[in-house]
Amino acid sequence: MNLAVSLKKSLAGSPVVAAAAYAGVIIVLLAVAASSLTDLLSQRAAVAATAAMFEQLEGRKPLAASKRSGDVGVPAGSAFLEGATVTVAGAALLQRVAGAVTKAGGNVLSSQLDVQGPNAKGGFVSMVANCELEQSALQSLLYDLEAGMPFLFIDQLDIQVATAGDGKLRFLLGVSGQWQGAK
């Protein structure tokens, strides 16, 4: 108790010390307020970024990245195989895969369409192609098929080791895509 009384007497007698203590308390309070405001603004920015990502995932808003130069946006086209009949949709699937293989620098040696397979009830059309391609281009081919439109799924990939010295791989590629049916 004596310490509090003596401190009160010393502060009462010196207005400079009291003003310095008051200024120190004000500075500490301003620093705490500024820190809280900074945290609040960063949390608000994180919520806005999360909301924008959620809108993009729901498909309400196009990707902002596609507006920047040099970035690849959402591929154009329908997510489903198009065609008036399942046979036409199968032909579109064959054409899409053959085009991707040719674009990657390979050849389609043979292909087979399966419109009545086990997944046909779900609206899926499947195909198997025997292809030949440089080993270095295989990854870009698979990316092109899976990332482009319509949505295609790699069901099978059986790679045979090249015995000839030409460096090309022979592989069996199973691909499927969903057909919506006649519109």
Side-chain angles (χ1 to χ4, degrees):
M1 190 78 156
N2 290 337
L3 180 65
V5 171
S6 66
L7 184 62
K8 185 176 180 182
K9 285 182 182 179
S10 68
L11 288 178
S14 173
V16 174
V17 173
Y22 180 75
V25 169
I26 295 296
I27 290 173
V28 167
L29 289 176
L30 286 176
V32 168
S35 173
S36 298
L37 186 60
T38 303
D39 288 343
L40 183 66
L41 291 176
S42 67
Q43 287 178 357
R44 185 175 180 184
V47 167
T50 304
M53 184 185 312
F54 182 67
E55 287 178 357
Q56 290 172 357
L57 290 174
E58 282 191 335
R60 287 191 247 162
K61 188 168 94 174
L63 290 172
S66 64
K67 296 178 184 174
R68 294 191 301 246
S69 63
D71 287 345
V72 178
V74 177
S78 172
F80 299 99
L81 292 171
E82 295 183 5
T85 65
V86 71
T87 307
V88 174
L93 176 63
L94 287 171
Q95 186 177 12
R96 170 76 172 93
V97 171
V101 171
T102 304
K103 179 179 161 187
N107 300 316
V108 176
L109 304 174
S110 66
S111 61
Q112 178 181 348
L113 185 63
D114 184 15
V115 295
Q116 297 177 351
N119 294 330
K121 288 188 179 187
F124 282 89
V125 178
S126 301
M127 64 145 311
V128 176
N130 190 359
C131 305
E132 185 177 59
L133 182 68
E134 293 285 331
Q135 181 178 356
S136 60
L138 182 60
Q139 182 179 1
S140 64
L141 168 69
L142 296 175
Y143 178 79
D144 182 27
L145 288 173
E146 288 190 330
M149 289 289 184
F151 288 143
L152 300 178
F153 306 97
I154 307 296
D155 299 325
Q156 177 183 4
L157 180 63
D158 294 329
I159 301 174
Q160 300 171 358
V161 178
T163 56
D166 60 0
K168 290 193 175 188
L169 295 176
R170 285 194 175 203
F171 57 94
L172 197 61
L173 180 66
V175 179
S176 64
Q178 190 169 16
W179 176 59
Q180 254 185 327
K183 293 181 182 177

